[in-house]
Amino acid sequence: MYFCQLQVDKERMKNIRNFCIIAHIDHGKSTLADRLLDFTQTVTEREKQNQLLDNMDLERERGITIKSHAIQMDYVHNGEHYVLNLIDTPGHVDFSYEVSRSIAACEGALLIVDAAQSIQAQTISNLYLALENDLEIIPVLNKVDLPSANPEEVTDDIVDLLGCDPEDVIHASGKTGFGVDKILEAIINKVPAPKGNPDAPLKALIFDSVFNSYRGIETYFRIIDGSIKKNQKIKFVATGKEYFADEVGTLKLNQVPKNEIKTGDVGYLITGIKTAKEVKVGDTITGFANPTTDIIDGFEDVKPMVFAGIYPVDTEDFEELRASMEKLQLNDASLVFQPESSAALGFGFRCGFLGMLHMEIIQERLEREFDMTVITTVPNVSYHAFTKKNPDEVIIVNNPSDLPDPSKLDRVEEPFIKASIITKSDFVGQVMSLCIEKRGQIVNQTYLTTERVELIFEMPLAEIVFDFYDRLKTVSKGYASFDYHPIGMKPSKLVRVDMLLNGQSVDALSSLLHADNAYGIGKRICEKLRELIPRQQFDIPIQAAIGAKIIARETIKALRKDVTAKCYGGDISRKRKLLEKQKKGKKRMRQVGNVEIPQQAFMAVLKLND
C-alpha cells in the first residue's frame, strides 16, 4: 500500500511544471500571463480583465508589475493532465529582488522579448539570474503583430544571447493570443518536472508572504521534499517557532483550501501568525515531529541602494507607522528600516530602498493601504567615512548628519556602480553627455547591432539616485534601457551641505555632495525653497552652508502691512518713526518665529532640473 502511494506521488510529480515569466519592463509579461490563464480556462469569462494578476490598484494605474504573483493552472495535453504553477514577475530594475525569489521556486522560465524593442538591459540581467539557478529557458518573441515589429532581426539577437536555434524562439502575441498553445507545449516538453523525495521529512521554501487583517499572515511556499497536511504541527527553522497549519491550499485566482500539499507543489499556509517578525522570506518550513536536517540556503540579504527618512506628519502616529512598515515588509522583503530621530521632524525611520521607483511605491502604498500620511526626506546613499585619529576604522554614514566634523575627517568613500545602458546609436552622444555630467567614466562601448549600442559606465551611485533614470529616458526619447550593479567603494571629495532656515539648520534637508557640484546645487536648492516656502510676517533667510562657510543665500520677503497709510500729509519724521517701530517688531518676530516647511520642499532637491 505504502509502495503504491509512493508510485502515485512520483507519477503526479512527473506532470507538475513550475515556471516564471521574466522580461524587461513593458515587454508584455502580464498580458501574456492573461492569455495563458484564458487558454487553460483558469479564469471564467466573468473574471477576465487586463493585468489580471496585478491585484494592486497602483500596478494597474502605472501599468507595471510591482509584486510577483503565483497562480496554478490545469492543462490537458495529449490526454494527460498537467499542473502548471506560474509566477509572473516584475520587470523594473528596482524589483529585481522579487524576481530572484520567484526564480528560486521554479525549474523553468519564459524569457519574453518585445519584437519591436529587442533585448534590453533588464532582459539580460534577469536572464543571468535564471541561469545562475539552472533554470530551463524558453525564449518567446512577443508582440509580433505590431507594425513596428522586426521578428527576424530580434530572433537573431536572441539566438546570439542564448546560443539556441532560431526554431526554438516561439513567436507570440499577448494581445491576440497567437502562439500561446506553442508556449504551453514548450513548457510541458522542456521544463523539467520538480525533483524531490515525497517520502522524506517536510522541507519547504518560503518565497513570499502577505498580511491579511482578518486571518493573520499568509505564507507562500514551494515544497521541496515531503508533504504538509492541514492541522499538522510545523516549525519555521530560522525563527525556531512552532505552529499548527490551520489551512493549506493552492493558489488559483482565489485560494483553494486542500487537505494536503505534496512535493513539487506551490501553495499557501495560514497559521494565525499576527507578528510580522515571525515570518522570514527564504526560511525553511519543516515538520515538528520529524524535522528535516537539510536546511534550504534561502536568499542573500538584500542590499539597499537608496536611503531616505520616512516620518509621520503627526509625531503621535510613530507606533502606528512602525506597525504599517512591518506589515509592508512582509509583502516586500526588500524594504529595510530602522528608527531614527530628526530635530526638524521628530521620530521616524531611516529606510533602505532598491531605487527611486521602489521608494515612491513604498510611500504611496503606506498612504493607500495603511492611511499613513508621511514626509519623506531627501534620498541619499550609504557612505564610508574615516577619521584622522583612526584611519582604518570605518564609520558608516547613512544620514548626512552622521558625517564627522570636516577638521577630523581623513577621507570619505562612496559606493560606485557599473551601469549598463542599451540605446539606439542615434542617441549615443546625448547619453554619454548625461553620464559624464553625472561623474561617470566610460568603460566599454559595444555595438550589439548596427542600430543598438551597449555602453558600460562606472559612476557614483549617488548620481543616479535622483533624476538619472527620468533624464536618460528623456534624452533617448524612451529608447534607452538601464541596469546596474554595485562594484564597491572608492574615495571621493565629498562635503556636507547644510540648509539653514532663519539661521536654524534643518537636518532633514542636509545632503552630501561632491565638492565640485556643491556651490551650484546649494544655490539651486535655495532658489527652489524660496519658491516653495510660504511667506511669513518676517524676512526668512535661506542659506546653504559647508561647515561655517555660507555658499549661497536667498531671502523670502516678509508680508508687510502699510503702517504709514493713516499718515496723510504732515512731517516725514512721523512716517520714519512708524517704519522703525515696525522694523523692530519684525526683528523680534524673526527671533521667535517658526518656519513651517511643506512636504514639497523636502522633495525639492529631486526636481532641481525641472
Side-chain angles (χ1 to χ4, degrees):
M1 172 76 182
Y2 164 73
F3 180 72
C4 291
Q5 183 58 46
L6 200 61
Q7 281 297 103
V8 169
D9 284 344
K10 288 264 169 73
E11 280 298 314
R12 186 190 63 85
M13 276 170 63
K14 238 173 55 187
N15 288 0
I16 296 176
R17 300 289 182 270
N18 297 321
F19 69 101
C20 59
I21 300 183
I22 55 175
H24 188 82
I25 191 166
D26 208 22
H27 277 206
K29 295 175 298 303
S30 301
T31 314
L32 205 60
D34 291 347
R35 295 296 80 76
L36 289 169
L37 297 175
D38 293 349
F39 199 85
T40 54
Q41 294 173 349
T42 306
V43 290
T44 61
E45 205 62 45
R46 222 176 112 203
E47 291 167 330
K48 276 185 196 176
Q49 56 173 316
N50 290 338
Q51 281 181 268
L52 186 71
L53 294 180
D54 293 348
N55 50 16
M56 269 189 252
D57 292 341
L58 202 53
E59 291 179 308
R60 293 181 180 285
E61 283 168 26
R62 288 177 177 245
I64 56 171
T65 303
I66 294 166
K67 282 287 304 161
S68 50
H69 302 275
I71 191 163
Q72 190 179 87
M73 304 180 283
D74 293 307
Y75 184 58
V76 177
H77 178 67
N78 292 344
E80 279 199 64
H81 177 258
Y82 289 88
V83 173
L84 311 177
N85 290 310
L86 154 71
I87 302 179
D88 179 24
T89 63
H92 196 282
V93 62
D94 281 13
F95 306 111
S96 54
Y97 193 62
E98 287 285 327
V99 181
S100 68
R101 297 196 337 245
S102 307
I103 282 172
C106 298
E107 279 85 28
L110 293 181
L111 180 74
I112 311 289
V113 179
D114 187 326
Q117 296 184 53
S118 189
I119 291 160
Q120 307 264 288
Q122 199 60 29
T123 316
I124 297 168
S125 179
N126 286 340
L127 171 67
Y128 287 154
L129 269 178
L131 291 173
E132 275 169 31
N133 285 270
D134 294 329
L135 263 61
E136 178 66 40
I137 308 291
I138 299 171
V140 177
L141 188 62
N142 195 19
K143 306 191 186 181
V144 290
D145 56 322
L146 286 183
S148 57
N150 199 342
E152 289 80 18
E153 196 179 304
V154 181
T155 302
D156 291 345
D157 291 349
I158 296 171
V159 169
D160 290 346
L161 181 68
L162 290 177
C164 60
D165 294 325
E167 298 77 57
D168 295 339
V169 181
I170 301 167
H171 288 215
S173 164
K175 199 174 179 182
T176 61
F178 167 72
V180 170
D181 52 338
K182 288 184 184 147
I183 293 173
L184 287 165
E185 197 176 315
I187 291 165
I188 287 163
N189 295 335
K190 292 184 181 176
V191 175
K195 296 178 180 70
N197 184 356
D199 195 29
L202 167 65
K203 180 170 79 173
L205 167 75
I206 299 175
F207 67 87
D208 205 356
S209 56
V210 61
F211 185 82
N212 182 321
S213 46
Y214 299 106
R215 313 179 75 186
I217 291 160
E218 296 170 0
T219 309
Y220 297 159
F221 61 87
R222 150 83 198 271
I223 296 192
I224 313 292
D225 290 330
S227 67
I228 185 168
K229 295 186 177 73
K230 189 180 177 182
N231 298 328
Q232 179 183 343
K233 194 172 185 184
I234 53 158
K235 181 179 172 184
F236 285 15
V237 175
T239 57
K241 300 264 178 126
E242 293 132 25
Y243 310 97
F244 285 97
D246 297 339
E247 184 177 312
V248 292
T250 52
L251 295 152
K252 294 250 173 142
L253 192 56
N254 300 311
Q255 294 169 341
V256 181
K258 296 273 172 82
N259 287 325
E260 186 176 14
I261 306 278
K262 298 182 178 178
T263 310
D265 268 333
V266 173
Y268 73 93
L269 163 73
I270 294 172
T271 52
I273 304 171
K274 290 282 191 284
T275 316
K277 289 191 184 79
E278 291 180 28
V279 178
K280 196 170 186 301
V281 166
D283 194 1
T284 307
I285 305 174
T286 187
F288 176 72
N290 183 16
T292 181
T293 50
D294 180 19
I295 308 301
I296 302 165
D297 287 344
F299 308 108
E300 60 181 84
D301 278 344
V302 63
K303 296 183 187 73
M305 292 284 189
V306 176
F307 293 86
I310 287 188
Y311 293 83
V313 170
D314 190 342
T315 321
E316 290 169 8
D317 294 339
F318 174 70
E319 284 305 325
E320 202 178 319
L321 178 61
R322 185 200 293 273
S324 303
M325 297 280 266
E326 284 175 356
K327 287 171 188 170
L328 198 52
Q329 194 179 35
L330 269 180
N331 197 231
D332 184 350
S334 53
L335 171 66
V336 180
F337 63 90
Q338 62 190 59
E340 73 162 3
S341 63
S342 149
L345 300 170
F347 291 104
F349 293 96
R350 188 94 200 136
C351 304
F353 307 98
L354 295 182
M356 285 298 288
L357 178 68
H358 187 213
M359 178 181 127
E360 218 178 293
I361 295 294
I362 293 290
Q363 187 182 342
E364 196 135 336
R365 285 185 71 185
L366 279 170
E367 289 182 4
R368 287 184 184 215
E369 294 172 32
F370 302 99
D371 286 334
M372 293 298 310
T373 314
V374 292
I375 289 174
T376 312
T377 64
V378 177
N380 61 2
V381 298
S382 189
Y383 299 93
H384 287 178
F386 301 85
T387 55
K388 288 172 183 167
K389 195 177 175 185
N390 287 331
D392 298 328
E393 188 193 340
V394 179
I395 300 166
I396 293 173
V397 180
N398 283 335
N399 198 332
S401 56
D402 300 341
L403 190 74
D405 190 87
S407 59
K408 296 174 186 167
L409 205 57
D410 179 47
R411 68 186 190 282
V412 182
E413 292 183 353
E414 64 175 325
F416 270 68
I417 56 158
K418 184 171 268 187
S420 158
I421 298 167
I422 296 178
T423 184
K424 282 194 163 185
S425 47
D426 311 359
F427 306 116
V428 170
Q430 294 97 307
V431 171
M432 275 189 175
S433 302
L434 173 65
C435 293
I436 290 162
E437 180 197 322
K438 296 285 186 183
R439 296 192 283 137
Q441 290 184 325
I442 190 152
V443 177
N444 198 358
Q445 179 177 351
T446 317
Y447 275 81
L448 302 172
T449 66
T450 51
E451 282 288 300
R452 295 170 65 252
V453 188
E454 183 179 30
L455 301 167
I456 307 284
F457 276 90
E458 281 184 7
M459 57 204 298
L461 176 63
E463 294 290 342
I464 68 154
V465 162
F466 297 147
D467 56 352
F468 179 77
Y469 193 64
D470 293 341
R471 286 185 62 197
L472 178 68
K473 285 288 182 195
T474 307
V475 299
S476 65
K477 298 187 178 163
Y479 279 107
S481 65
F482 174 64
D483 187 33
Y484 62 88
H485 60 131
I487 54 169
M489 311 295 283
K490 291 186 183 180
S492 202
K493 206 169 135 198
L494 295 168
V495 290
R496 185 175 89 213
V497 176
D498 291 315
M499 299 307 299
L500 285 80
L501 277 182
N502 205 14
Q504 301 285 316
S505 174
V506 182
D507 56 353
L509 286 172
S510 298
S511 49
L512 285 176
L513 302 169
H514 195 267
D516 297 348
N517 304 338
Y519 171 74
I521 292 179
K523 184 160 176 52
R524 295 211 320 261
I525 295 174
C526 287
E527 287 167 359
K528 200 79 177 174
L529 291 176
R530 192 188 68 191
E531 293 168 22
L532 291 169
I533 294 173
R535 288 170 72 187
Q536 309 284 330
Q537 295 285 329
F538 51 92
D539 280 4
I540 306 170
I542 302 168
Q543 295 162 308
I546 299 173
K549 184 184 173 190
I550 303 293
I551 57 168
R553 170 178 172 140
E554 292 286 334
T555 307
I556 300 173
K557 286 293 177 194
L559 291 165
R560 299 185 71 122
K561 181 181 171 189
D562 186 0
V563 288
T564 60
K566 60 182 182 285
C567 298
Y568 38 89
D571 189 8
I572 186 72
S573 58
R574 275 187 68 200
K575 292 181 181 176
R576 194 158 288 143
K577 191 177 165 188
L578 278 169
L579 288 169
E580 284 300 318
K581 193 176 171 189
Q582 185 188 37
K583 199 167 159 188
K584 278 184 193 162
K586 296 281 181 197
K587 192 176 174 188
R588 198 163 46 244
M589 211 185 271
R590 197 176 116 191
Q591 285 165 357
V592 296
N594 214 346
V595 183
E596 287 286 319
I597 307 169
Q599 158 74 29
Q600 308 97 285
F602 290 103
M603 301 307 278
V605 183
L606 311 185
K607 309 276 191 306
L608 288 181
N609 286 300
D610 288 4

